[in-house]
Amino acid sequence: MPSIGTVGLWVPGMDLRPPAESAEAAAEIEALGYGALWLSEGLVRDPFMEAATLLGATRSLVVGTGIAVIWGRHPRVIRAQARALLDAHPGRFVLGLGTSHARMVEGVLGLRYERPLTALREHLDRLDEPDAVLRLAGIADGPEPRAPRVLAALGPRALDLARDRSAGAFSYLVTPEHTAEARAALGPDRLLIVEQAVVTGLGTDEARNRARGHIAGYLPAAPYRASWRRLGFGDADFADGGSDRLVHALVAIGEQEIAQRVNAHLAAGADHVCLQALPADPATLPLDQWRSLAHLSR
């Protein structure tokens, strides 16, 4: 794994902006001192292509897919894309893979979603096979370089798979209590990357409304509800856009609380916390929030 520091940024919808704007944002993120930039699954441009743009616009920033969904992607294509990024930018790309959830895969991507853990396990089997094309060409005498990879993991079985088949796990919409459980499942020698949603620079009411709107979008997703139930939340917390208790547990508001939450995740066993600053409009970049929180990465 490359060195990614303890704090990075998770930036959804980067591909919704013109490439030149994305590249400029990546250059600023690097200048601010964040250790890594994590891309969500692309809606307009493929995250691997987006990663190439961002890596080309920076000198040392690590870029990772956080995560690229496996559905609709052939393992050989993923391997080739990751290899191309590493060849062009050695030591600066991390391959994050996962299954996402049915609402995203079927509702947005229009693909079939079933038996996600089995599908991910089989995908990894094929991803780790020697490249048949290279072997037939007689140019694959030894093991080829592999991109360091992490797997999206929330539940116990997914964490076990991440421990056994990757460099570590990538968790999303979790609490420090989950982080402690994930560290126990992964053991001491696997990487644990934790996403943390944040809002800063706003009045209390506006910040809470933005946080609640963010959580409300994930309430219908079964994997997240199951994860939250394991943490002690129940049906009452999932009603009416999410309870205050649930929203507060998942979104940190204000610089002081954000710093405390980051430290809590690190103390619970996270190696790296990637902040997702929530903008007023998904089509805009929360530059002011990134700037005000950059001191946490130093």
Side-chain angles (χ1 to χ4, degrees):
M1 287 291 298
S3 175
I4 58 175
T6 56
V7 177
L9 292 179
W10 191 87
V11 186
M14 184 74 93
D15 61 306
L16 298 176
R17 290 103 186 157
E21 185 179 337
S22 296
E24 184 177 350
E28 177 159 1
I29 289 170
E30 179 177 60
L32 288 170
Y34 288 103
L37 188 165
W38 301 93
L39 295 169
S40 61
E41 175 61 39
L43 299 177
V44 176
R45 295 191 296 272
D46 183 272
F48 294 93
M49 298 297 293
E50 191 70 10
T53 297
L54 304 185
L55 287 165
T58 54
R59 295 186 176 184
S60 59
L61 184 69
V62 174
V63 176
T65 53
I67 49 88
V69 301
I70 62 168
W71 312 102
R73 286 193 169 97
H74 194 284
R76 186 177 186 278
V77 174
I78 289 180
R79 185 165 59 220
Q81 290 174 315
R83 176 68 179 272
L85 291 170
L86 283 176
D87 284 347
H89 308 281
R92 295 179 55 205
F93 176 71
V94 178
L95 174 62
L97 294 174
T99 58
S100 190
H101 50 87
R103 188 162 175 258
M104 172 66 176
V105 174
E106 297 185 349
V108 177
L109 301 180
L111 302 170
R112 189 175 181 180
Y113 181 91
E114 61 180 354
R115 303 175 65 203
L117 274 178
T118 297
L120 181 55
R121 190 176 292 107
E122 293 174 350
H123 188 94
L124 295 175
D125 289 342
R126 298 191 68 185
L127 190 63
D128 291 339
E129 291 175 351
D131 193 302
V133 174
L134 293 179
R135 188 171 64 250
L136 287 172
I139 55 175
D141 297 328
E144 59 185 291
R146 306 279 186 182
R149 73 178 178 224
V150 293
L151 302 181
L154 292 176
R157 291 191 300 161
L159 287 164
D160 287 348
L161 185 63
R163 178 196 62 212
D164 296 341
R165 300 295 301 274
S166 77
F170 194 114
S171 62
Y172 187 87
L173 280 180
V174 297
T175 65
E177 291 75 16
H178 180 280
T179 297
E181 294 173 2
R183 171 52 66 200
L186 291 171
D189 61 345
R190 289 291 184 268
L191 190 70
L192 178 54
I193 300 168
V194 177
E195 176 271 350
Q196 175 62 59
V198 301
V199 182
T200 191
L202 300 176
T204 301
D205 290 343
E206 184 179 356
R208 287 175 178 170
N209 288 337
R210 191 176 295 186
R212 175 163 278 101
H214 175 67
I215 298 303
Y218 290 92
L219 288 173
Y224 293 112
R225 290 200 307 272
S227 173
W228 300 332
R229 286 187 191 281
R230 286 190 293 268
L231 292 169
F233 297 97
D235 290 340
D237 295 298
F238 309 149
D240 302 321
S243 69
D244 289 344
R245 186 171 78 108
L246 179 67
V247 173
H248 175 72
L250 299 175
V251 183
I253 295 176
E255 288 192 32
Q256 182 177 356
E257 184 174 300
I258 293 167
Q260 291 171 348
R261 194 72 58 85
V262 168
N263 289 334
H265 281 297
L266 294 174
D271 296 292
H272 179 85
V273 179
C274 46
L275 305 176
Q276 179 183 183
L278 305 181
D281 182 345
T284 64
L285 294 172
L287 294 170
D288 288 346
Q289 295 190 69
W290 293 348
R291 292 164 184 159
S292 69
L293 296 172
H295 64 93
L296 297 177
S297 67
R298 302 187 187 110

